[in-house]
Amino acid sequence: MTASLPAPLNPPVRLLMGPGPSEIHPRVLRALAANTVGHLDPYYLGLMNDMQQMLRALFRTENPMTMAISATGSAGMESTVVNLIEPGDSMIVCVNGVFGERMVDVAGRAGANVTRVDRPWGEVFEPSHLKEALAKAKPKVVGIVMAETSTGAWQPLEEISQLVHDAGALLLVDAVTALGGVPVEVDKWKIDAIYSGSQKCLSCPPGLAPASFSPAALEVILNRKTKVQSWYLDVSMLAKYWGSERVYHHTAPINMTYGLYEAARIILEEGQEAAFGRHLRNHQALKAGLAAIGIRYASAEGHQLPMLNAVHIPAGIDDAKVRGGLLNCFGIEIGGGLGAFKGKVWRIGLMGHGSRQTNVLTFLGALEQLLAEQGYKFEQGASVAAANGVYLAK
Ligand SMILES: *Cc1c(COP(=O)(O)O)cnc(C)c1O
């Protein structure tokens, strides 16, 4: 018996309003479908140069070693950690959610002697929270997540960077959800190693991890006593591919590069400040809408990310029914809670191209219907009216 041929590919159209992947810009989808050239084709090499230039603009850095790692955001995390850490090195990791937790795991596997500093989920780190650990652990590297996608907390970095450098350590930053949604100032904040992901605020499918290493970080990497434990993510080798030598290392995902290229162009064309302003405005509208129907944020006031809105599920409301209803009746995907927030929060993404008033108003209208179905007490229409109030205000 021969197995029957599986159905032709026909994915449903979804409104991706979760923690990522986010809505893909139509121009990015078209770029992905362009003719594939060889990865050492002069056209592609030119594209790599332009891509590096645009990534430097997005990261706001002059770092020569700025590139896109050929894998997802987690590989960005892994690349920064395994290149900077040699077995036995001391590393502090700040943990206030899932991704800090992941960094602890990655650092431990790389052989780091890890000191974790914890904060409650939804809270951020103040410099004072790190002082003691810095004095005790004398770390080579301090890792921190700028936009904790599991909690919606927005971590300020400027003062912490000062403290970390005063202690003689390198600062490693997770900007997976931050890049493209809020300002990320690599040079101004003296970030030594940073990575992002293509599928959050860059409006691209998952598959590439923009990353950048400061000259200080590069010096540490080039003076290692041991080889980087990962062949694929060894920055000294990647530098030869992305640098002027263009030595073959691995076959770059050509069409993904097209996608990220166009995605970066779209942000620079809009203007980064304009893009940040748009993210903020749509967040404010969503927040006003949710507040009007009694839904509160799970992240600390004053530290809420515009692109990832983590909110408490109202008491008595069935999480799975609401998220299932959003997906099945409206084609809208939002995220559930992870880890400590499992079953307790919803994560509503307004990332990149997905940060639009159309999405805010559509989501609020749909949510109201599903909450009403479950007998939730609120003034119907109030969320959309409140969001419109924000949009109408000058
Ligand atoms: C999504 C995310 C990651 C992991 O990226 P993947 O592309 O899923 O591998 C890491 N850190 C943060 C903060 C994220 O939001």
Side-chain angles (χ1 to χ4, degrees):
M1 236 181 66
T2 53
S4 61
L5 189 63
L9 185 76
N10 187 22
V13 177
R14 301 289 195 215
L15 192 50
L16 296 173
M17 294 184 70
S22 60
E23 214 183 333
I24 314 296
H25 197 289
R27 274 169 59 188
V28 172
L29 285 176
R30 287 200 293 277
L32 288 166
N35 303 321
T36 304
V37 298
H39 71 115
L40 295 172
D41 191 292
Y43 177 78
Y44 189 71
L45 298 181
L47 216 62
M48 283 171 80
N49 288 338
D50 292 342
M51 172 79 108
Q52 281 184 298
Q53 180 206 316
M54 290 193 288
L55 292 179
R56 286 187 196 110
L58 293 180
F59 277 128
R60 301 192 181 184
T61 183
E62 302 285 329
N63 288 342
M65 198 53 210
T66 301
M67 61 185 166
I69 306 261
S70 305
T72 71
S74 302
M77 183 186 290
E78 195 124 17
S79 76
T80 51
V81 174
V82 301
N83 280 282
L84 293 176
I85 292 293
E86 294 192 62
D89 283 345
S90 168
M91 176 166 176
I92 289 181
V93 180
C94 302
V95 183
N96 57 350
V98 164
F99 295 102
E101 198 72 64
R102 181 174 298 181
M103 199 186 287
V104 169
D105 193 1
V106 169
R109 287 165 191 246
N113 192 350
V114 182
T115 301
R116 56 184 290 159
V117 182
D118 281 86
R119 288 284 294 150
W121 283 42
E123 304 279 327
V124 296
F125 290 85
E126 302 291 342
S128 60
H129 298 131
L130 288 178
K131 277 202 175 122
E132 202 185 305
L134 279 170
K136 245 193 213 157
K138 302 199 171 28
K140 178 184 189 182
V141 178
V142 175
I144 194 162
V145 178
M146 185 178 170
E148 204 9 292
T149 320
S150 62
T151 68
W154 183 358
Q155 175 65 52
L157 291 175
E158 205 159 5
E159 285 175 52
I160 282 183
S161 174
Q162 185 68 47
L163 198 70
V164 166
H165 288 109
D166 287 349
L170 296 169
L171 181 64
L172 187 165
V173 172
D174 178 321
V176 175
T177 287
L179 194 67
V182 293
V184 177
E185 297 276 359
V186 170
D187 286 359
K188 194 167 151 208
W189 299 339
K190 299 190 166 52
I191 295 169
D192 293 293
I194 189 164
Y195 57 91
S196 186
S198 48
Q199 80 276 27
K200 311 268 167 116
C201 293
L202 302 178
S203 318
C204 201
L208 286 174
S212 185
F213 293 83
S214 73
L218 214 51
E219 198 177 306
V220 165
I221 295 169
L222 296 177
N223 289 308
R224 289 173 62 106
K225 291 190 213 61
T226 58
K227 272 190 174 181
V228 174
Q229 146 256 315
S230 165
W231 178 89
Y232 190 64
L233 299 173
D234 185 335
V235 162
S236 64
M237 291 161 88
L238 290 173
K240 291 193 182 124
Y241 179 43
W242 282 89
S244 53
E245 292 127 301
R246 298 293 187 205
V247 179
Y248 163 68
H249 179 257
H250 65 279
T251 310
I254 321 286
N255 289 55
M256 270 307 299
T257 307
Y258 294 166
L260 186 59
Y261 177 94
E262 194 61 5
R265 267 196 93 242
I266 289 166
I267 297 176
L268 296 173
E269 197 177 280
E270 178 182 10
Q272 292 184 70
E273 297 308 326
F276 302 149
R278 173 170 56 76
H279 279 85
L280 200 58
R281 196 162 177 76
N282 288 316
H283 158 73
Q284 286 163 347
L286 178 71
K287 189 175 173 184
L290 292 169
I293 56 173
I295 294 179
R296 293 176 305 109
Y297 275 61
S299 44
E301 197 61 50
H303 295 289
Q304 293 161 353
L305 289 169
M307 56 285 201
L308 194 284
N309 299 265
V311 300
H312 293 289
I313 300 172
I317 294 300
D318 186 328
D319 174 22
K321 257 194 199 155
V322 171
R323 283 191 294 126
L326 284 169
L327 193 70
N328 298 322
C329 307
F330 300 95
I332 299 174
E333 176 184 284
I334 64 164
L338 284 180
F341 278 178
K342 195 169 163 55
K344 296 188 179 132
V345 308
W346 287 321
R347 293 181 300 151
I348 306 146
L350 292 172
M351 298 184 182
H353 178 60
S355 178
R356 300 201 308 285
Q357 62 167 333
T358 307
N359 291 358
V360 171
L361 297 173
T362 304
F363 168 74
L364 289 172
L367 181 67
E368 280 205 9
Q369 186 187 122
L370 295 164
L371 290 174
E373 253 171 38
Q374 287 196 41
Y376 181 65
K377 294 276 174 286
F378 66 102
E379 186 195 332
Q380 288 209 29
S383 73
V384 171
N388 274 331
V390 171
Y391 289 124
L392 289 165
K394 271 283 164 247

